[in-house]
Amino acid sequence: MILSEIIGRVGVIRLNRPEVMNALCDRLMADLGAQLLAYDADPAVGAMVITGSDKAFAAGADIKEMKDRTFPETLLHDFIAPWETILQVKKPVIAAVAGVALGGGCELAMMTDFILAADNAKFGQPEINLGVIPGAGGTQRLTRALGKARSMEMILTGRLMGAEEALAAHLVARVVPLADLQAEALKTAEKIASLSPVAVQMAKKAVNLAFESHLSEGVRSERVLFLSLFGTKHQQEGMAAFVEKRKARFE
């Protein structure tokens, strides 16, 4: 249900259930989590890209799989928990989104470190139409990106948001033509992978702290991470290369 390959120093994962627009079922999410952890442990991989098809990143969770579950069953066996494997990954993960990213698909994209969107991308949390609400962080991450008013309106009405509106609302980092999406995602991930892996992972951790802690706590944690990099050979190489006006070589 996923296709994976390493291109340069980038681990690429393509969601692959075209018959149901990449609906996210238990098996797909387990496979995705396992592949993310494998790339995270592979020193040949410096960054990752998750993508889908031109028509669908993921149309949501698999409703047929969910519809007969009961509250006691879901309470004892939290089927959403495996989705959060992505949050354990230390290396940067980019979502390259074309077509629809709805419900769980939007939530998965928001769990990545940032989203590159094709100009045909559409985002939304339409769970309200099914008599439920987002359950994989949608109410929280969408609100942090869009603010209360716009996220409340989208979640309460199920309205979809196009790529340009998503860019203006800070949900996505950039919008590119559909034909250029995969190449641009690889180029961006390869740039990240070419840098100091220690600094990259600490930068990711520090930025995430901004959303998960108070300002003063986040600044203190950032300072510790910053100062700790002065104990690495990458800091020595990076600054020496700058002074010597040459390209840094991060081993």
Side-chain angles (χ1 to χ4, degrees):
M1 295 189 176
I2 64 169
L3 302 174
S4 59
E5 62 178 328
I6 297 176
I7 303 175
R9 297 200 65 233
V10 179
V12 179
I13 303 173
R14 185 178 299 277
L15 308 181
N16 188 43
R17 295 187 74 199
E19 71 283 1
V20 288
M21 298 184 74
N22 294 334
L24 305 174
C25 63
D26 290 350
R27 179 184 158 196
L28 185 153
M29 295 309 293
D31 290 350
L32 174 62
Q35 188 61 66
L36 286 167
L37 293 178
Y39 281 154
D40 207 33
D42 188 344
V45 172
M48 299 167 230
V49 172
I50 301 175
T51 192
S53 69
D54 287 353
K55 294 182 178 180
F57 177 74
D62 192 324
I63 305 303
K64 290 182 179 179
E65 189 176 70
M66 287 195 300
K67 71 181 183 64
D68 294 326
R69 286 173 168 156
T70 65
F71 175 56
E73 176 189 355
T74 56
L75 189 64
L76 290 171
H77 306 288
D78 181 359
F79 66 94
I80 295 296
W83 292 38
E84 295 182 332
T85 300
I86 191 172
L87 304 179
Q88 303 170 26
V89 173
K90 296 178 181 178
K91 296 172 184 175
V93 182
I94 300 169
V97 175
V100 294
L102 307 180
C106 187
E107 289 172 306
L108 174 61
M110 291 191 293
M111 286 185 198
T112 66
D113 295 306
F114 61 90
I115 301 169
L116 295 181
D119 50 15
N120 74 333
K122 291 186 180 298
F123 301 87
Q125 300 289 165
E127 289 90 343
I128 201 75
N129 294 318
L130 303 176
V132 293
I133 67 171
T139 62
Q140 305 303 300
R141 292 189 177 92
L142 194 68
T143 302
R144 281 165 171 75
L146 308 185
K148 178 183 176 181
R150 192 171 294 184
S151 59
M152 187 74 82
E153 184 242 353
M154 287 186 66
I155 290 167
L156 291 183
T157 67
R159 180 177 74 83
L160 306 188
M161 172 181 284
E164 291 299 332
E165 184 182 358
L167 178 64
H170 309 297
L171 181 61
V172 306
R174 276 188 289 139
V175 174
V176 300
L178 174 60
D180 299 336
L181 178 65
Q182 302 304 318
E184 193 61 34
L186 283 172
K187 178 182 176 182
T188 304
E190 191 63 58
K191 168 62 178 176
I192 294 169
S194 73
L195 303 171
S196 162
V198 181
V200 163
Q201 290 181 35
M202 288 193 179
K204 171 176 172 170
K205 184 173 183 179
V207 172
N208 283 332
L209 279 168
F211 290 89
E212 298 167 1
S213 61
H214 295 294
L215 177 60
S216 57
E217 180 185 345
V219 170
R220 284 195 299 270
S221 298
E222 177 197 69
R223 189 70 44 79
V224 171
L225 293 170
F226 168 71
L227 295 175
S228 69
L229 286 168
F230 283 79
T232 69
K233 63 181 180 181
H234 290 160
Q235 173 269 332
Q236 297 170 5
E237 166 62 12
M239 292 191 177
F242 178 84
V243 171
E244 296 165 14
K245 298 182 179 180
R246 60 176 175 80
K247 185 177 181 179
R249 295 182 295 274
F250 297 115
E251 299 294 334

